[in-house]
Amino acid sequence: VSSLDPVTSRMKMMRKALLLLLACVLSSVLAKGKVEELTPQNFKSTVLDSDATWAVSFYAPWCGHCKALAPEWEKLAKAISPTVRVGSVDADKHKDLGGKYGVQGFPTIKIFGKDKSKPEAYQGERTATAIAKHLLLHVTDAVNSALGGGKPK
């Protein structure tokens, strides 16, 4: 097995970076920019059966922290859709759906990446910028995987 020369390796990394940049540019041009309301009736077909990475907020309408997150969640949707789709579940109304994903407090943010059966609990800062940075790591991993590579070093 021969190793790649530095020029070929650099060109592959540049191609990956260019694809990521293109995805971000397309997302800003084509973005629907809305938070999609998710329910038990549409969750499987919309999120679980999708190839897209999803950021889902499980919230309660009466929750003060949820109300504080709402404008950041809207800003996130406008900035990152359709590269990453953004949705919300009223987990107070749809307790079974929240319970299925271990929601015990509000708001709970879950990232549904490539393996939809194992959503990641997002524990970071509750700002559009911080959440977007985290989500772009998922996009980068998906692009690298699609190109036959592993996680970038």
Side-chain angles (χ1 to χ4, degrees), residues 63-81:
C63 165
H65 293 294
C66 301
K67 290 177 184 178
L69 176 64
E72 291 296 312
W73 206 242
E74 292 286 338
K75 190 187 318 181
L76 174 68
K78 288 177 184 167
I80 205 162
S81 295

Side-chain angles (χ1 to χ4, degrees), residues 79-92:
I80 205 162
S81 295
T83 302
V84 174
R85 295 179 67 183
V86 178
S88 290
V89 173
D90 180 342
D92 190 45

Side-chain angles (χ1 to χ4, degrees), residues 98-144:
K100 181 175 181 175
Y101 295 104
V103 173
Q104 296 180 345
F106 304 115
T108 295
I109 297 173
K110 298 280 185 169
I111 310 301
F112 290 81
K114 187 172 183 167
D115 184 354
K116 300 289 193 284
S117 69
K118 296 178 183 174
E120 172 195 342
Y122 174 77
Q123 300 295 332
E125 188 179 348
R126 300 304 209 237
T127 65
T129 300
I131 298 166
K133 284 179 182 177
H134 184 79
L135 291 168
L136 287 174
L137 294 175
H138 283 269
V139 173
T140 301
D141 288 348
V143 169
N144 283 328

